[in-house]
Every structure is written in structure tokens, then in C-alpha cells.
Amino acid sequence: QVQLVESGGGLVQPGGSLRVSCAAHGITFSLYYMAWYRQAPGKQRELVASITTGGSTNYADSVKGRFTVSRDNGENTVLLQMNSLKPEDTAVYYCNTKSAIGNYWGQGTQVTVSS
């Protein structure tokens, strides 16, 4: 059974930093592409960042240069380091992975950027 568990969200001031983590269970983690999505109130869920099994990364234009995605295959964890946060980064952040038989999501972690 695939389970993705996010942690590390919270309230941060504009310009601040936050790191969110996703622990994966039930998969051979090193063999899976991993991604972070976010969904703000009233908006569609959007891809923020992704990382392949080989460590190649991809970012939404809105977060390039500010966010960094990484993975720790020994800990079955994918991380999203968020710097220079803006109020428009406020959203629920979701961890995601896919396989031939399913598309898996975590429960989400709230990130709020506000003064």
C-alpha cells in the first residue's frame, strides 16, 4: 500500500524560508519519480517541482530560483526547500508519485506566507 506523508508546513513571513518533507512508504522509493504540487483556495492544483529517479529536476516558472527539490533515497524522503517566499506561495502542498497502476497523493501540508 503506497502512502505519502507530508510534514513541515506552517506560517512564515514574506521573504522567509520553509522546508516541507514527504516520507514515502510502500514503494521502492529510488525507482519512483516524485513531485510536489500545490493548490491555493479557488485555484487548480499545479505542479511546483519534480525530481526523477536520476535526480533531474524541473520547476514551475513561478518558483524557479527560489525553490529546490531533492531526494534522499536512503530515507525514502523527498524535500522541497522554499526560499524568498511570497504571499502567492500560500497553498496546500501535496506530494505525488505515479506508477503504471496508480497516481498517489499525500494528505497535504498547509503553507501560509503572511505578515
Side-chain angles (χ1 to χ4, degrees), residues 4 22 24 27 29 32-36 49-53 69 71 78 95-97:
L4 303 174
C22 171
I27 58 173
F29 182 77
Y32 281 74
Y33 157 100
M34 301 297 298
W36 285 97
S50 63
I51 185 165
T52 68
T53 56
V69 61
R71 64 190 300 154
V78 59
C95 183
N96 168 264
T97 191

Side-chain angles (χ1 to χ4, degrees), residues 60-108:
D61 287 344
S62 59
V63 307
K64 278 182 183 175
R66 300 188 297 122
F67 289 14
T68 302
V69 61
S70 61
R71 64 190 300 154
D72 184 338
N73 290 338
E75 296 292 328
N76 288 8
T77 300
V78 59
L79 305 170
L80 185 66
Q81 177 68 43
M82 303 180 287
N83 298 328
S84 302
L85 282 160
K86 305 175 181 180
E88 51 263 44
D89 295 317
T90 295
V92 178
Y93 284 70
Y94 296 92
C95 183
N96 168 264
T97 191
K98 302 174 177 61
S99 74
I101 59 171
N103 190 18
Y104 305 101
W105 297 93
Q107 82 286 355

